[in-house]
Amino acid sequence: MAIGNFPSCLVVTLKYEGGYSNDPNDRGNWTGQDVEVGILKGTKYGIAAHAYPHLDIKNLTFDAAKKIYERDYWKPILGDSLPYGVDLATFDAGVMSGPRRGVRWLQAAVGAKQDGLAGSETLAKTLAADGTRTIRAICASRRSFVQSLSSNQYFGRGWSRRIAEVEAKSIAVLLMRGGR
């Protein structure tokens, strides 16, 4: 299990989330959850205005972002209980597309009930599953999902590269830690 692996996973994810962005074509930068709806506040460290409309995104500190990631993304996926590598694939999926969606992709990969809530069935089936297959299935679901989005025309190449890199890194971590 990936107890204490949150900082390592966060480093990988923040490579893609980066600093402050205020791209008007990114629906995540708008407080109304769609392009030109609400206020264009942007995204910083991947913390987006659409999910946190009341935050001062531009002035968000790294420490505040880290607390949000742990509370709202790592803990809901039960990251400390997942196998190494699977934790990264699920966490990054949850950051990019929402933790419930990330958990549903994990659940689909291991044959658990797909309710988006990580629990005992999800954990048991994940621990019994082949980690490499699980990671590949999560990433395949991610690719399919982002290709269906209208904003894929603007961000698709970057999203596809991110998913491929996270998939490779997740499998490498799994194998390095002696997983299967």
Side-chain angles (χ1 to χ4, degrees), residues 92-93 96 105 138-146 162-163 166:
D92 193 72
M96 190 169 155
W105 291 332
I138 291 167
C139 293
S141 294
R142 291 180 72 182
R143 274 189 286 280
S144 178
F145 175 73
V146 299
R162 173 182 179 163
I163 294 166
V166 167

Side-chain angles (χ1 to χ4, degrees), residues 2 5-14 16 74 77 79-80 82-96 135 138-139 142 162-163 165-174:
N5 205 36
F6 169 69
S8 297
C9 291
L10 184 61
V11 166
V12 173
T13 294
L14 286 179
Y16 305 102
W74 185 255
I77 68 162
D80 281 336
L82 297 176
Y84 287 101
V86 174
D87 63 337
L88 173 58
T90 307
F91 176 69
D92 193 72
V95 168
M96 190 169 155
I135 292 165
I138 291 167
C139 293
R142 291 180 72 182
R162 173 182 179 163
I163 294 166
E165 290 175 2
V166 167
E167 180 177 12
K169 177 80 171 171
S170 296
I171 291 170
V173 168
L174 173 77

Side-chain angles (χ1 to χ4, degrees), residues 32-96:
Q33 301 186 9
D34 207 352
V35 172
E36 297 185 3
V37 177
I39 301 166
L40 179 63
K41 286 180 126 181
T43 301
K44 188 171 182 184
Y45 305 119
I47 303 300
H50 78 94
Y52 299 92
H54 302 294
L55 276 181
D56 179 3
I57 299 292
K58 194 170 191 174
N59 294 307
L60 183 69
T61 66
F62 174 75
D63 287 338
K66 183 177 175 183
K67 287 177 185 173
I68 291 169
Y69 275 119
E70 187 167 19
R71 179 191 70 219
D72 296 351
Y73 297 89
W74 185 255
K75 287 185 179 180
I77 68 162
L78 302 179
D80 281 336
S81 299
L82 297 176
Y84 287 101
V86 174
D87 63 337
L88 173 58
T90 307
F91 176 69
D92 193 72
V95 168
M96 190 169 155

